[in-house]
Amino acid sequence: MYHRVIAIMVAHTIGDIITGDIADPEVVTSSSPYVGGLLDSLTGSIGISGISARPRPIAAPVAASTTSGASAVGTAATDGSRNSSRPIDKDVLRTFISNSMPFGTPVDLNFSNISAIKVNGFSSSDLPPTELKQPAWKPYLYKGKQRMLFMIHETINAAMYDRDEIPDYISISGQVNCRADLEGLPDVSLPLNGMKNMSMEILSFHHCVQVSEHGDDKRAIMFSPPLGNFVLMHYQALCGPDPPVKGFYQLSMVSEDEGAFLFKLQLMEGFRAPFSMDFCTVTMPFPRRRVASFDGNPSIGTVSMTEHSVEWKIVTSGRGISGKSIEATFPGTIKFHPRAIQRGLSMPRSVSINVVEEDSDVEQDAYNNTANTEENFLEKMNKELEPVDLEEPFCWQAYNYAKVSFKILGGTLSGMSIDPKSVSIYPALKAPVELSMQASSGDYILWNTLGRCPSAISPKVQ
Amino acid sequence: MEKQQPMKQQTLPSLSPSEWESIFDDFGSGSASRRARWLHLPLIDLALHAFLRRDFLSHLKPLLLLFIDDFLASRSDAPPASDALPPLFDALRSLFSSSPSAPSAADPSTAALRDQFMATAVSAAVSTIDAPLDRASAALLDPLAEVLLAVANRPNHGPDRQSRAAACDCLRELELSFPCLLADATGHLWALAQAERTHAAQSYLLLLAAVIRDLVLRPGLLSSPSSILSTVVPLVPFNAPSCLFSDPATDRDREPSDVNLREIKRVLAFLWERPQVLTPAATMELVSILTSIAGALEQHVPTVGALLKVQFSGLIYSYHPILCHVVLMLYSGFPDAFSGEDERNIARRLALLAREAHQPLVFRLLALHWLLGSPRLGKGKHSLASLAPGFYPAVFDPLTLKAKKLDALACIAVSLDDLEMKKKGEEEGRRKLIMKLFQDGLVCISAYKWLPPWSSETSIAFRTLHKFLIGVAPHRDDCLEEFGLGSLVDSTIFSTLQSMLVNFALQHRGLVPVIATFVDRLLGCKAHQTLGEQLLQKLDENLLPKLGMDHQLTSYFPIFERIAENDTIPPRGLLELLSRHIVSLTEKHGPDFGLTLWSQGTKVLGICRLMLKHHYSSRVFLPLSRLLAFICQFFPDLEVRDSARIYLRMLVCVPGKKLRQVLYLGEQPSVASPSSHPGSLFQVSSPHHPEDLKKSGGVSSYIYFERVVPLLVKHSWSLALLKSNVEENVQTSNAIGITDIIISPSRESDREGEINFERISSTMEPLRVTDSKVAEILGVLRKHFSCIPDYRHMPAIKIIIPCRLRFDSEPFKRDWEDDSSTFDSKEVDALPAMYAATITFSSTSKYGSIPPCRVPFLLGEPLGNRYDIVPVGSSFEEDSNHCASVIMELEPQEPMPGLVDVTIKANAENGQIISGKLQSIAVGIEDMFLKAAVPPDVKEYEVPEYYYDLFRALWEACGNSANTGRETFPLSGGKGAAAIHGTRSVKLLEVLLDSLIKNVEKYLASYIVSVIGDELVSIVRNNGIIKDVIWENDPEDFDHGVNALVPYSGNIPLQLPYFGDEGHTDNLLPISKRALGTFLILIFLPPRFHLLFQMEVGHSSTLVRIRTDHWPCLAYIDEYLESLFFT
């Protein structure tokens, strides 16, 4: 039976393998900064002769080194040793395909399980469980020091308008990553706190989770954890408390090549300890202009410039702020290189040329009317915009905006939380439960208050 | 096997790793010839031998297996199953029989290789043995199944659990290909699946499920009184069950026995016990198996669907898309098992899935497709409407997702706008709701209003408008017309959209072209044409009055065009607007507005033309004639005034129907034959478009049919004057063609002519005119015309256009020679050939019937040929095999250029019939040039004299008079006669003497009748190209002589002019002092016309006086002369 969804899934998995995008979900704890995935839990705990077990997880650099902030939720961990995005070789791909779908229909698409079996095999010391059946996605049972780690990771997308007529849009998408180093095949039961006082919109779970019929009162889940790191659940929440970065960005073009801008930001207002902001950077991208120079001093932080952007580092990694709020302003001016005449060059399609021709009579008028230079100038710029890819949310280049990147440790913005004490394991085991939380920015955009901005109506979900 | 091994080593050659690598390459290349190099070797044996060798490179071993797999799958090369499979299975057995305690057996890579070997063996078996099995092939399979079962039959054995899982997967594949193969082992498999506790349990489970499904689906098996789960038959040795070979049809109607139903239920309960322990992909597989079991058992176990639902519907909360799909599979398989609440849950979950930011875009889209595509979920009005807030696009949603979400909103709006809902009242609230959905949804792509019209946002916005609009009456195959149109026009969306588009157009001029396209899209669809018209009407009513009179009005012309084209819209409004526009243009124009004025005026006239074309003249007459009159009087631009005048003339003079046909300028394909379109006055044969032909995949991209002598005038057009117009249009009544002067005895007015004609033909004497010179002229003309065949009664004069046919080998081969016939692969450079090619011609121009040509055999051109440098002017090799010369014979009934369409039909070497259109051949006016026929009684030495006299006579007859009065000249054949209606023209060629003479000698030499003037004569005589003409040294002589001739005039008979009458001498101006001399050139144009040049040659310029009795040719002659002398 051929199913489209299977085909897409296979394509997706293979694509990930080819690009080296296969990464275990990140789990960070206080004791060891990064805890490795399946192979580490195998090799670190089960001493199988004949396998060159890698040393215990290297003290990998803290995941904060990924400052892009725009990376997708699940793949935030791009640190050194294990998740190098080196394309995988053919042999590995071939092995994966012949193991995951020996006759064309996939039976298992879990790359790390398949490669673990390929590398480790099974020894006679791998005893099957005595009573329960071992799930197919858990080929190995854990042996060693028992513990449970949870990490809640949230990504905040925001469109900040600072306008009366358009409300700011903030959405939080989060995931609970989990690692259960537990012997045997225990069931874990976990109440989800903080659900009642927030509008949790979407919940979806790992397939090991047993979800009975959903009720509002029933917010506990039961699962039999797989080996290694996994994403226990994804969730999405519309609005949390105050956003961690508030304020406005204004850019006004004085002439075609010169503009004045002003930032006024409030960071971490209303966030008390243990919240701490690890870093915060504001970038003004100008993809269609070449920045010649800028002038102005921020009240805090440092500013640097590249060919097509200006970057303002307000809080730098290592000097994070904790338990206090900061006000940051940055007035300044920016000059661009004169625009190269690229009419025709950037006119890829005959349609556009026709339109321009069509308008040739009209443009005389536009030039005569010099009352609103900026409008005219924008108009002209927009005429050269090419249609964007449909995977983009809109034509980014048509707007002026500043993008904020940050990372906040010590809590979640949605209020999502897990109480380690209420995690129960059956059959009863003694295992410490640890929890860590962090929030980072996704598309966190300050739209130019004086310009156009894309928006959408977000109705209250019933 | 172990014993055979050393023996084989002796007999078999052993291949080195590098040889194997080249085998892999050759087989991977897909080229038959490369594979063929190795086929003489016993490849399977060699591969197995290499595989079993310890010292063989381990990284090549998996490739060996893949090779075996591929090799056996290609049936053409592979040895038969009976040869290939036994050694393969023996090798497999030997792999597994080696002691499991050996250290290598536990090595994961060895184990992985062994597992892959199993898969290869199964795959080889499946691809070489056909289902259904007969006893012989079943016997082949037995050892394989036995090995696999033996591997699987070690429950909970630790180290080899992955191998056991693999063995189960292999057995499942065998069962899938040969259903019921494992029927006898069901009891054992059931026990194994229950016992297994490692992660391999999943494979046991799936195997059991697959076997059970085949049992259930095969009629009769369940009806046996003994349990299907019995373990009486031992697992090994394995023998294919006998039920495989019996005809299942005999047992079709037997009911399953109770004991077996009970057993099946037990197994099912076991299978769906804990869906969580399976991987998502396996869950999918299991559920699809369970679905078919449940479907087959539905009448015996009716609750099974509901039970499945209970077990699996929780998976909808997983974030894994495959698991969501599993639930949907169940839902579509057992819709009755899902209650309204379940359906709502599924719908809600799918809507949420689309919003999950962490999901890849494709799954978010898929969820919406699922939701909208499901017949019950999507149409369940209430359930979707309550989900509406979930479909609002978010600001950072990708555009595709936004588009799809907007579709969902449109779907909801439509369900609200439905007729049933209307009856319930609450009209206001409902309307508001729909509008809210619509407008709120559009906000997320609001940038479309100011981004350029080609932006993605614009496309999505207008796509959404369309979706919202046609939602109520979507396209249906069955009933295109009428259904729902009324409700559509009444719908809330439509009324909103109308005003919305008006506002768009007013506020955002950039959107006008997009709106026009949007309207076109509606108009182009049968079901929604009325909607488009309504929209246009709305635009006409509401947009037009609001438009300001400035230069920006031009941006709205795309909409105006649509309005003008649509005859359901009263043209008055638009015409008034245009009038105001023209007035304001006329009043306000500044000094620098020249070009703008021209362009705007032309655009307005374009709309007027559309009006003329699409509306009844009576309807547009008044306003349009006013507008045009105003333009032609007051508009500042001259050309616009001119054109307006022409349009006004047409509007006033040409009857409406004709006018509309006349105005289809170049818009009708010239394929239509003239007779079927008697009204089309002008046919513009556009120059051919080779790219169009190529696009249509025609053979013309590599089969070339072309003229040997290219035309001088490259872009040719033709003016076709058709008979039926003649009666109606005074302007064209002197269009000529023999037809219009048929002498019919019944007509009173021609009686005299008839008599004359008879007498003329008998006596060859002039009648009414006694002047000797005139008589002489008439005599010459009569003599000449009597040599011209009347094409209506006898074969016409033919013109011949030599052409050649050739074709490119490479693309021809690609198209017409299949790769399978590769016997010629040794001779790669063999050229393809075409046999029995028939080339047929057709033309819309009046060329009579053109006989087809045949080319018996033609070789393709080798590739190199085309790039060879061929010396200019080298003669064309007629007998070349690569190029066939073909003569195209036309019998023109009117001398005018045109296109001849060429089609070819031929056989390719493999018998395929090649047919297709080739590039059309352009026929130019110069092809029509012929020498006048010489009457048989004129002696050879008299010919120049004859031509000279003829020239003079014709020159005179085509003089300043419009016709030759009643003078007619009988044609050969005796039934028809011709009259001469002469026309004159002048062309000044600013060419230097040398080049003029060179060109005349090259192209016109044979038509020269006389060369006059000392200097010219001496130059031309020295060149020696022009021969057999009258050389006159004294220009005065000719001048005098010609002047002495009597010109014809309008309606009076030929008469003698007063000598030296000034008014008539200007028809032949004395040659200027600078002139060196004169060429007299006489060209005969078939079927019976003439073209006369008198070239007064000067040093730097030449004046050509042209006379002809076929005025339409003047236009082409002008072009011809230009091309002749200026290029």
Side-chain angles (χ1 to χ4, degrees), chain A residues 107 126 129 136 201 231 388, chain B residues 161 197 277 279 319 355 454 456:
Chain A
V107 281
D126 284 323
E201 284 190 296
V231 180
V388 286
Chain B
R161 55 185 82 171
R197 296 193 307 278
V277 302
T279 63
Y319 57 72
R355 297 175 56 205
W454 58 86
S456 313

Side-chain angles (χ1 to χ4, degrees), chain B residues 1064-1086:
Chain B
H1064 290 286
T1065 46
D1066 63 349
N1067 69 336
L1068 265 184
L1069 284 170
I1071 298 163
S1072 71
K1073 293 273 175 331
R1074 289 172 293 124
L1076 305 171
T1078 308
F1079 285 119
L1080 302 185
I1081 296 172
L1082 164 65
I1083 296 168
F1084 178 79
L1085 298 172

Side-chain angles (χ1 to χ4, degrees), chain B residues 879-895:
Chain B
D879 52 359
S880 152
N881 273 336
H882 304 304
C883 197
S885 74
V886 170
I887 299 293
M888 195 161 86
E889 282 184 339
L890 310 179
E891 291 180 10
Q893 295 164 15
E894 209 178 312

Side-chain angles (χ1 to χ4, degrees), chain A residues 107 126 129-130 133-134 136-137 201 204-205 231 234 236 349 362 382-383 385 388 390 392-393 395 455, chain B residues 161 193 196-197 202 276-277 279 317 319 323 355-356 358 397 399-400 402 444 450 452 454 456-457 509:
Chain A
V107 281
D126 284 323
T130 44
K133 279 188 196 298
Q134 204 172 343
W137 31 261
E201 284 190 296
S204 54
F205 303 94
V231 180
H234 288 279
Q236 210 151 315
R349 309 199 298 182
V362 181
N382 284 340
K383 282 223 165 77
L385 283 174
V388 286
L390 284 172
E392 289 291 325
C395 180
S455 64
Chain B
R161 55 185 82 171
E196 183 65 42
R197 296 193 307 278
Q202 166 175 289
Q276 278 80 16
V277 302
T279 63
Y317 299 109
Y319 57 72
L323 295 177
R355 297 175 56 205
E356 286 193 19
H358 67 90
D397 278 344
L399 280 170
T400 15
K402 283 179 177 163
C444 71
W450 52 272
W454 58 86
S456 313
E457 281 89 335
R509 280 180 294 114

Side-chain angles (χ1 to χ4, degrees), chain B residues 696-716:
Chain B
S696 63
V699 292
S700 63
S701 54
Y702 49 85
I703 302 181
Y704 305 100
F705 188 76
E706 56 210 356
R707 296 172 60 103
V708 173
V709 185
L711 279 179
L712 269 181
V713 182
K714 290 290 176 277
H715 294 278
S716 127

Side-chain angles (χ1 to χ4, degrees), chain A residues 179-225:
Chain A
R179 177 191 182 88
D181 289 342
L182 303 174
E183 290 187 345
L185 284 169
D187 280 333
V188 179
S189 153
L190 169 72
L192 297 178
N193 290 344
M195 294 280 197
K196 284 193 177 119
N197 51 9
M198 57 177 285
S199 68
M200 186 70 68
E201 284 190 296
I202 303 171
L203 279 169
S204 54
F205 303 94
H206 191 268
H207 52 81
C208 72
V209 178
Q210 284 189 45
V211 186
S212 48
E213 294 304 309
H214 244 20
D216 282 340
D217 50 333
K218 203 174 169 189
R219 292 290 189 181
I221 55 173
M222 170 88 88
F223 61 99
S224 164

